Structure formats: structure tokens, C-alpha cells
């Protein structure tokens, strides 16, 4: 099952929250933590999750989630509201890169995403959520590509894809309709031709029958003439 679906099901849905975006990360500069609260060593996967409550007033949170190796459960570690987010640093405004920083009121986290694409998607959704849900001063987005700050460009891209698919399907249906229309016209023409052929054949048969009857009648008349007039035969 998809990691996002599992995290949403296990950690957010039970609290009437909906997961908007998630990105797997690791720190660029590792913190020296010899012992964790769980009692184990620091072998784990880290995810940064963006979520929103299902009901008004909407509350958007950024949550650090961990999954320790050898365990299937996900655990919430740290959480901030979107109003506590001060700055998002995309690290490079000229190209895709996996690095990014999140600056909150009392801490700065420096991350490397599992891929540049996952990082870009996360920042794009985060920027859109800030524009929509921030009740106070919106966080600053620096060193981010313009394509990531286009508001709901993801939705626009999805809508464009759907529109393109609908247009292609509509065009295919129109072309099919035109082919069916031409086939129907050819079928109608063939039916008319067949009817005309049948009428013509019937007339030909009638004319042949008339000709045959005429020939039979003529032969009968000649035979009757000679049979009724033997003297005429002798004269000839």
C-alpha cells in the first residue's frame, strides 16, 4: 500500500485530519542523538507531512513522522502549525534539487528529500496551503523556482490533463461518428442500388416472358394456318 495512504489512515484520519502532502527526507547535517525516547538506536525513516483538519476552522499542520527499522508503525515526533512557519528555502531557484529548509519560530530544519520531484511537489502544495489557510502573516518562500509558486498549478495541470483527455476522446468519438455516418450512407446507397437492380431484373423477366409468350403465340398461329389450309400448302 502507498506510504501516504498508510500514514493518513494510521495517524491523521483518526483525528479528523486529511494528509495533503508527504515527503521522505533525511537531515543534511545530522544531529548527535545517542539515545532516542523509544530506547533504540537512531535507525529510522523520516517523513515531513502536511495535513489539514476536516472541519472549520481549518487548521494546517506540519508534522515530523518517523518509522523505525523493523517496525511497521509510523510515529509522530514533532508538529508545528502553518502559522509558526516563517520561511521555506528551496535552495536553488534555477533548477530542481532535493534540498530545502523549513524555518519555524524556534528551530530550523535542513532536509534532503528522497528526490527533487518529491521535494518540488511538497513545496508546491505547501505554498498553495499557505496562501489558502494562513490566518496571519504568510511565510516567506525564498530560492524557489517560479513554477512551484504558481498557487494551484498542480490543480491546473491536472485539469489540463483531464481536458486534453476529454478533447481527445471527443475527437475520437466524432471521427467514429463520421465513419459510421459514411458507412450508413454507403449502406443506404447499396440498398437503393439493390432495390433498383431488383426492379430492373423484374422488368427484364416480365419482358422475357412477354417475348416468349409472343413467340409461342406466333408459332401457334403459323401452325394453325397450315393445318387449316392444306390446299394452300399444295399451291405453294
Amino acid at each position: 500500500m502507498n506510504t501516504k495512504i498508510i500514514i493518513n489512515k494510521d495517524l491523521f484520519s483518526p483525528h479528523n485530519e486529511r494528509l495533503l502532502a508527504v515527503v521522505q527526507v533525511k537531515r543534511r547535517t545530522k544531529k548527535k542523538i545517542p539515545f532516542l525516547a523509544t530506547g533504540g538506536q537512531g535507525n529510522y525513516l523520516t517523513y515531513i507531512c502536511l495535513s489539514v483538519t476536516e472541519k472549520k476552522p481549518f487548521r494546517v499542520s506540519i508534522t515530523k513522522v518517523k518509522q523505525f527499522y523493523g517496525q511497521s508503525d509510523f510515529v509522530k515526533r514533532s508538529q508545528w502549525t502553518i502559522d509558526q512557519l516563517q520561511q521555506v528555502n528551496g535552495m536553488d531557484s534555477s533548477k530542481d534539487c532535493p534540498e530545502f529548509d523549513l524555518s519555524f519560530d524556534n528551530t530550523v530544519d535542513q532536509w534532503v528529500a528522497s528526490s527533487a520531484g518529491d521535494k518540488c511537489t511538497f513545496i508546491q502544495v505547501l505554498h498553495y496551503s499557505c496562501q489558502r489557510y494562513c490566518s496571519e502573516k504568510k511565510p516567506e518562500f525564498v530560492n524557489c523556482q517560479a513554477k512551484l509558486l504558481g498557487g494551484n498549478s498542480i490543480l491546473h495541470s491536472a485539469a489540463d490533463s483531464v481536458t486534453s483527455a476529454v478533447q481527445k476522446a471527443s475527437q475520437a468519438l466524432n471521427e467514429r461518428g463520421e465513419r459510421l455516418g459514411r458507412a450508413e450512407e454507403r449502406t443506404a446507397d447499396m440498398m437503393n442500388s439493390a432495390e433498383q437492380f431488383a426492379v430492373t431484373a423484374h422488368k427484364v423477366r416480365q419482358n422475357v416472358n412477354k417475348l416468349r409468350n409472343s413467340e409461342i403465340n406466333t408459332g401457334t398461329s403459323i401452325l394453325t394456318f397450315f393445318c387449316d389450309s392444306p390446299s394452300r400448302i399444295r399451291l405453294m
Side-chain angles (χ1 to χ4, degrees), residues 143-163:
N143 299 320
C144 295
Q145 293 173 278
K147 68 178 183 179
L148 305 182
L149 308 180
N152 56 350
S153 57
I154 289 179
L155 301 180
H156 286 163
S157 298
D160 291 342
S161 298
V162 172
T163 300

Side-chain angles (χ1 to χ4, degrees), residues 167-195:
Q167 289 176 344
K168 290 180 179 178
S170 178
Q171 182 179 355
L173 288 174
N174 290 336
E175 292 176 353
R176 182 180 179 185
E178 291 177 358
R179 290 195 298 269
L180 289 174
R182 290 194 296 268
E184 290 177 353
E185 291 177 358
R186 289 195 297 269
T187 301
D189 292 340
M190 292 173 65
M191 291 178 65
N192 291 333
S193 298
E195 291 176 355

Side-chain angles (χ1 to χ4, degrees), residues 44-70:
Y44 51 81
L45 298 176
T46 303
Y47 300 88
I48 303 299
C49 301
L50 180 68
S51 62
V52 62
T53 54
E54 295 283 2
K55 297 180 180 179
K56 294 181 178 180
F58 296 117
R59 181 175 180 272
V60 179
S61 301
I62 298 173
T63 307
K64 187 190 302 179
V65 172
K66 293 185 178 180
Q67 182 186 34
F68 293 92
Y69 290 137

Side-chain angles (χ1 to χ4, degrees), residues 95-178:
K95 63 180 180 179
D96 292 344
C97 68
E99 296 84 8
F100 68 100
D101 293 348
L102 298 178
S103 300
F104 298 96
D105 291 341
N106 55 359
T107 186
V108 177
D109 285 333
Q110 299 177 326
W111 300 111
V112 179
S114 56
S115 71
D118 289 346
K119 168 245 183 167
C120 290
T121 299
F122 180 82
I123 289 184
Q124 194 169 31
V125 177
L126 177 59
H127 179 265
Y128 173 70
S129 300
C130 290
Q131 303 306 308
R132 180 177 180 183
Y133 296 111
C134 276
S135 57
E136 301 177 2
K137 182 180 178 180
K138 294 179 174 58
E140 182 184 17
F141 284 75
V142 299
N143 299 320
C144 295
Q145 293 173 278
K147 68 178 183 179
L148 305 182
L149 308 180
N152 56 350
S153 57
I154 289 179
L155 301 180
H156 286 163
S157 298
D160 291 342
S161 298
V162 172
T163 300
S164 177
V166 170
Q167 289 176 344
K168 290 180 179 178
S170 178
Q171 182 179 355
L173 288 174
N174 290 336
E175 292 176 353
R176 182 180 179 185
E178 291 177 358

